[in-house]
Amino acid sequence: MLLAIDCGNTNTVFSVWDGEKFLCTLRTSTHHARTADAYFTWYSTLVNHYGIKADISDVIISSTVPRVVFNLRVFSDRFFGCRPLVVGKPDCLLPIPPRVDAGTAVGPDRLANAVAAFDRHGGDVVVVDFGTATNFDVVAEDGAYVGGVIAPGVNLSLEALHQGAAALPHVDISQPEHVIGTNTVACIQSGIFWGYVGLIHGITDRIKAEYARPMKVVGTGGLAPLFATGEPLFDVIEDDLTMHGLTVIHKYNKDQGNL
């Protein structure tokens, strides 16, 4: 079985793939000082709790936090006896290499999103990924990642607003009943919710105009369904896009004899 690990700036997700479906998905906070032993204690406790028989033979890692990769490598080697495939490293092959400016390092999660979007929907796709940042990833007709947009994430914006303005409270994001707020919390919720609806609309429209081809818009990340309630922002929402991309990349490397 394959253990796919996606380490973001805020959370790290572990998913067990049996070749046809994900048996479980586990989530923990990202912390660069977490040791291999600590990862295994957490992982094995939850796997046993859910009664999953996971005989892991392969591991693939996508990480936007370079400092955690070493301990995840040790975790993979020590407890599963395998060398993990790390997306973005030279020895990890991609079905179609990205076409970006020379010397540009593309985030591994964005590469995985591009691979997954092409596998599920074909080319000419915009992926909108809600994470610590809100990423817009453009996938060409042949499946190559060809660039995108990075905007501040929703929770990051809320936290910055709370920290930068002493009189403003921290609020949870939700769709407000009215655009015009009649109290401080409602005003902030309206600004964040409708502000990001406008941001998504504006950026995707400009991408489509610049790309000059019909494009499908795919939403992913925990907040995608929430923002889709405001207006029809996405053609489809995929809750496991990055993890699916990791399974496709792993299979491609295996088929190429790279593992």
Side-chain angles (χ1 to χ4, degrees), residues 23-68:
L23 299 182
C24 69
T25 295
L26 313 173
R27 186 179 299 268
T28 186
S29 59
T30 298
H31 183 34
H32 73 272
R34 184 173 284 124
T35 65
D37 291 349
Y39 276 119
F40 184 72
T41 300
W42 167 81
Y43 166 83
S44 59
T45 299
L46 286 179
V47 167
N48 290 334
H49 172 76
Y50 290 118
I52 297 168
K53 304 298 182 184
D55 185 13
I56 302 299
S57 58
D58 297 272
V59 177
I60 183 169
I61 299 169
S62 163
S63 177
T64 58
V65 186
R67 288 191 295 174
V68 307

Side-chain angles (χ1 to χ4, degrees), residues 118-255:
F118 182 71
D119 183 67
R120 286 182 169 173
H121 304 288
D124 298 332
V125 172
V126 182
V127 177
V128 184
D129 187 0
F130 293 86
T132 304
T134 301
N135 292 328
F136 297 75
D137 303 318
V138 180
V139 185
E141 182 182 16
D142 63 351
Y145 171 88
V146 293
V149 176
I150 300 175
V154 177
N155 288 317
L156 192 63
S157 296
L158 277 169
E159 189 62 30
L161 187 63
H162 172 59
Q163 292 183 357
L168 297 181
H170 180 80
V171 302
D172 293 328
I173 181 63
S174 64
Q175 181 178 356
E177 293 185 16
H178 306 285
V179 175
I180 301 172
T182 54
N183 58 70
T184 302
V185 170
C187 289
I188 295 173
Q189 287 177 331
S190 182
I192 290 293
F193 184 86
W194 293 112
Y196 270 86
V197 167
L199 179 144
I200 297 160
H201 258 312
I203 291 179
T204 54
D205 286 349
R206 287 177 180 273
I207 288 174
K208 290 176 181 179
E210 186 170 286
Y211 197 71
R213 293 173 64 101
M215 304 186 79
K216 177 176 285 189
V217 180
V218 178
T220 191
L223 290 175
L226 171 64
F227 284 98
T229 64
E231 290 188 14
L233 300 173
F234 314 114
D235 295 300
V236 64
I237 294 176
E238 304 272 10
D239 60 358
D240 63 346
L241 194 69
T242 306
M243 306 311 286
H244 177 69
L246 293 180
T247 69
V248 175
I249 293 171
H250 179 267
K251 184 178 184 303
Y252 179 76
N253 279 264
K254 205 157 196 173
D255 290 346

Side-chain angles (χ1 to χ4, degrees), residues 81-119:
C82 67
R83 179 174 177 269
L85 187 66
V86 181
V87 179
K89 298 297 184 183
D91 60 346
C92 179
L93 305 177
L94 295 175
I96 303 292
R99 292 196 293 272
V100 293
D101 294 344
T104 299
V106 181
D109 55 334
R110 307 184 82 177
L111 295 173
N113 283 346
V115 170
F118 182 71
D119 183 67

Side-chain angles (χ1 to χ4, degrees), residues 36 69-79 84:
V69 174
F70 174 77
N71 283 330
L72 287 172
R73 284 183 182 272
V74 174
F75 163 76
S76 175
D77 178 66
R78 180 178 297 168
F79 297 105

